[in-house]
Amino acid sequence: MNVPLSYYLILSAIVFTTGVVGVLIRRNIIIILLSIELMLNATNINFVAFSYYLQNIAGQVFVFFALTVAAAEVAVGLAIIIALYRTKASINVDDFQLLKW
Amino acid sequence: MTLPLSDIFAVLPELIVVTAACLVLALDPLTPSARKSWLAWLSLAALVACFWISASQMGVTVLAFSGLVILDPYAGFWKLLLYVVTGLTILLSLAYLKEERINLGEYYGFILLSLSGMMIMVSAADLLTIYLGIELMSMSLYVLAGFKRFEERSLEASAKYFVLGSFSSGILLYGISLLFGVAGSTRLQPIAAAVAIRGFDDPQLLIAMILLVVGFGFKVSVVPFHMWTPDVYEGAPTSVTAFMAVASKAASFGALLRVFLEGLGGLKANWYVLFLIVSVATLILGNVVAIVQTNIKRMLAYSSIAHAGYALIGMVVAGQTEAGSAVRSLGVSSVMLYLAVYAFMTLGAFTVVALLRKGGLEGEEIEDFTGLAKRQPLAALLMLVFMASLAGIPPTAGFIGKFYVFLAAVKAGLAWLAVVAVLFAAVSAYYYLRVVMVMYMRDPEPAEGPLPRLATSPALTVVLASTLGGVVLLGLFPNALVWVTSFAVLILK
């Protein structure tokens, strides 16, 4: 039994939207980071699904690159958050009001 | 499997820059802290070598690494501009970092890594390489923005830049994945072929296109994706702000033009309307909000948003006209010309801001410029020239940049757009000349605290002389630059 392509696309659209909404409404910067990861992983679902249905390996190669970049991004992001936590003792974006948003 | 030598040759400048960056990072712990400037000279030497190589490669067009990377005059133009900007930024940083007590070697390593990301962006022929270039550039910039890690403002800028930057990269990547589904490839040429087959009203293509517009819109900071710009520009160290405002904007425009004209050229009937709306909104909001700013770095941030709006006019022209027409080339080359001119004047203005110090604190408020003409006539004169150029007053280079963009718009039958842009250029003159007014018309108050002083150094003199030379000479003799941009213009079928 084959799962139709549209199922994967709907799943990835739901995951992506969850990520976007999470970035926009959550106030905890760690949760925001996780939401960004959700967005990137929604992309990976797309790439793998397309890659399977088009019988084209290029999509899976792209996923490896996307995963590597996401890992590097988390490393940089967590470092910034730790540095911020040391001076502010908070990870709530509402506390970061020194610069006008 | 071996790599053909011609492929290595095509990415030789990138390899040199990355090697130099790794070398700087490796040598940093071995360098005594009083000798960190050696690392800057090493980086500059790498840039000079790259400049020479890229200049000698200008006439060549090579598709390398099975179509992932393209070396053409268009990429060469952006690379040469980026070397100049990066070199000036490093010279500017030499004194600035000492003054700020953040004289750390890895600064130069990150600048070079960011530069290599930008070089990959402008010479990429595949959305994969463009994405990797964007990420390499942005991630280095996130770190650089938070380089004053003992100062809350800098860290906050870094965190905001990181959240919004990676958010926009996520959106961009989702658009790329949808394009892959349509074309079965992420190379720009197959995407263009798939667009031609699927037609311009395919819903999946349209969603992908809109996501790419949003993703790139964040990177070049146009309205309504500009919210991060003022905060990040204000909080980041001034030398990093200058680098972000100039280099990352130039590289993002380079990639934007190539992706939309080469890959999504078949959809131009759709995206040109989007860019038209974005461009007008950017001109209005950037120029109007800049008026009420009291911090010079925030004001320059809004000014950089407004300038992105002017550059987008050239992009709109390229999207609106027929493929292969002379007006279309004029549209593309006017964007290149505009960003080259913008690089010199913005870098110059930020250098003057970095120069002006107030007893350890930065003289960042526009009020700090009060009566500068009496105290520091030379610095005031330089700022006057840069402000006049940003406002687009002849005979400075800023006028030439605006002139060619407006000329392209009129030739494309978008005279009304040129009129709107000229009107908002007049609005912009108000806030640029306000700085001049404050410097020249007001007397310095007998201040209590320490007066702003100048943090001069030989390297800063070189930066100011070259930016001033660029602004004045390009304004008086624009022919050479016009010729280079029309020679390096993106070849479009």
Side-chain angles (χ1 to χ4, degrees):
Chain A
M1 193 196 103
N2 242 335
V3 183
L5 176 63
S6 56
Y7 284 30
Y8 289 107
L9 294 188
I10 291 168
L11 171 68
S12 97
I14 292 171
V15 174
F16 184 76
T17 320
T18 315
V20 171
V21 172
V23 172
L24 294 178
I25 67 168
R26 295 305 288 264
R27 304 280 73 173
N28 184 316
I29 201 160
I30 302 274
I31 305 280
I32 292 178
L33 196 61
L34 290 176
S35 305
I36 291 170
E37 290 303 304
L38 273 185
M39 291 167 64
L40 295 177
N41 282 321
T43 317
N44 291 342
I45 297 175
N46 259 355
F47 273 121
V48 173
F50 282 132
S51 173
Y52 180 73
Y53 280 90
L54 299 168
Q55 291 298 310
N56 182 337
I57 206 77
Q60 298 189 23
V61 175
F62 208 121
V63 170
F64 280 109
F65 280 99
L67 283 175
T68 316
V69 168
E73 208 158 54
V74 169
V76 169
L78 286 177
I80 292 171
I81 293 171
I82 288 173
L84 199 58
Y85 183 75
R86 279 189 185 154
T87 57
K88 283 264 190 186
S90 161
I91 47 168
N92 189 323
V93 285
D94 290 332
D95 292 336
F96 307 145
Q97 297 290 348
L98 222 51
L99 304 162
K100 293 166 269 175
W101 262 106
Chain B
M1 194 188 109
T2 52
L3 287 170
L5 212 58
S6 62
D7 285 6
I8 301 286
F9 171 73
V11 294
L12 194 56
E14 280 91 341
L15 288 177
I16 292 177
V17 170
V18 173
T19 313
C22 295
L23 211 57
V24 166
L25 291 176
L27 289 177
D28 179 32
L30 305 175
T31 327
S33 52
R35 297 268 182 278
K36 295 294 184 197
S37 54
W38 289 359
L39 300 171
W41 299 118
L42 173 71
S43 319
L44 279 176
L47 288 178
V48 171
C50 290
F51 191 93
W52 182 73
I53 294 171
S54 287
S56 64
Q57 285 175 337
M58 267 303 263
V60 208
T61 303
V62 193
L63 210 57
F65 295 101
S66 52
L68 283 171
V69 172
I70 186 167
L71 174 70
D72 56 3
Y74 176 75
F77 170 82
W78 291 111
K79 281 187 195 171
L80 293 181
L81 179 64
L82 290 172
Y83 299 144
V84 173
V85 169
T86 312
L88 291 177
T89 310
I90 289 176
L91 283 176
L92 153 67
S93 311
L94 270 173
Y96 181 76
L97 294 186
K98 274 205 195 90
E99 194 78 25
E100 291 284 347
R101 296 172 213 288
I102 43 171
N103 195 10
L104 303 169
E106 62 259 37
Y107 178 89
Y108 304 107
F110 281 118
I111 290 267
L112 288 182
L113 282 179
S114 182
L115 169 70
S116 63
M118 295 171 191
M119 291 160 71
I120 293 168
M121 277 165 79
V122 295
S123 61
D126 186 305
L127 289 173
L128 172 63
T129 21
I130 288 183
Y131 175 69
L132 291 179
I134 288 181
E135 286 298 307
L136 183 52
M137 169 189 86
S138 312
M139 263 186 254
S140 313
L141 287 179
Y142 303 151
V143 178
L144 283 173
F147 216 73
K148 283 197 264 180
R149 64 176 186 282
F150 42 83
E151 197 185 298
E152 274 180 37
R153 217 171 47 145
S154 178
L155 284 174
E156 212 178 294
S158 169
K160 280 178 184 173
Y161 192 24
F162 167 73
V163 167
L164 290 170
S166 42
F167 180 61
S168 67
S169 303
I171 294 175
L172 184 74
L173 194 61
Y174 200 78
I176 294 176
S177 77
L178 291 179
L179 274 183
F180 173 73
V182 175
S185 167
T186 47
R187 306 266 196 288
L188 293 178
Q189 296 301 345
I191 289 174
V195 169
I197 295 169
R198 294 284 281 263
F200 64 91
D201 47 2
D202 184 83
Q204 192 180 343
L205 270 178
L206 284 183
I207 296 172
M209 181 201 75
I210 291 169
L211 291 172
L212 285 189
V213 170
V214 175
F216 274 109
F218 268 103
K219 298 294 172 202
V220 298
S221 70
V222 287
V223 177
F225 316 112
H226 67 285
M227 314 77 81
W228 59 273
T229 319
D231 290 351
V232 175
Y233 282 19
E234 186 190 339
T238 308
S239 57
V240 177
T241 309
F243 187 62
M244 280 194 293
V246 175
S248 94
K249 189 161 286 203
S252 306
F253 261 106
L256 172 82
L257 283 172
R258 199 194 287 277
V259 168
F260 278 89
L261 291 172
E262 221 163 66
L264 301 174
L267 294 169
K268 66 183 161 88
N270 295 313
W271 57 249
Y272 118 79
V273 186
L274 280 181
F275 280 121
L276 183 63
I277 298 167
V278 166
S279 161
V280 173
T282 307
L283 285 175
I284 295 175
L285 196 127
N287 281 319
V288 171
V289 181
I291 292 176
V292 296
Q293 300 305 321
T294 55
N295 180 302
I296 186 103
K297 276 164 89 178
R298 265 189 109 77
M299 190 206 91
L300 285 172
Y302 278 104
S303 124
S304 93
I305 294 171
H307 284 287
Y310 292 115
L312 264 191
I313 294 176
M315 173 91 189
V316 171
V317 169
Q320 197 247 6
T321 46
E322 284 306 306
S325 67
V327 182
R328 192 173 200 198
S329 306
L330 183 65
V332 177
S333 65
S334 70
V335 178
M336 298 160 76
L337 185 80
Y338 197 88
L339 281 157
V341 164
Y342 164 82
F344 283 105
M345 53 202 194
T346 305
L347 209 53
F350 276 116
T351 310
V352 177
V353 175
L355 196 65
L356 197 68
R357 322 273 323 171
K358 198 165 73 180
L361 283 170
E362 284 178 82
E364 277 185 7
E365 296 299 315
I366 293 179
E367 289 300 306
D368 293 339
F369 283 75
T370 309
L372 193 67
K374 294 252 167 57
R375 287 182 281 117
Q376 304 287 351
L378 198 59
L381 183 69
L382 284 166
M383 197 61 173
L384 166 74
V385 174
F386 295 132
M387 287 294 137
S389 180
L390 283 166
I393 296 168
T396 54
F399 170 74
I400 301 295
K402 285 204 171 62
F403 175 77
Y404 275 92
V405 169
F406 298 160
L407 180 72
V410 171
K411 280 200 178 166
L414 289 166
W416 67 268
L417 184 59
V419 171
V420 171
V422 169
L423 281 179
F424 280 97
V427 172
S428 78
Y430 172 77
Y431 59 83
Y432 291 127
L433 295 183
R434 189 183 53 175
V435 177
V436 176
M437 192 275 286
V438 165
M439 287 190 306
Y440 279 87
M441 307 293 197
R442 286 198 199 145
D443 283 327
E445 288 164 30
E448 292 123 49
L451 272 176
R453 64 192 167 83
L454 291 189
T456 43
S457 77
L460 264 180
T461 317
V462 174
V463 178
L464 286 171
S466 0
T467 46
L468 178 73
V471 166
V472 173
L473 290 179
L474 292 179
L476 293 175
F477 310 103
N479 287 348
L481 186 63
V482 172
W483 181 81
V484 170
T485 52
S486 54
F487 167 76
V489 76
L490 195 57
I491 312 280
L492 295 161
K493 280 153 276 226

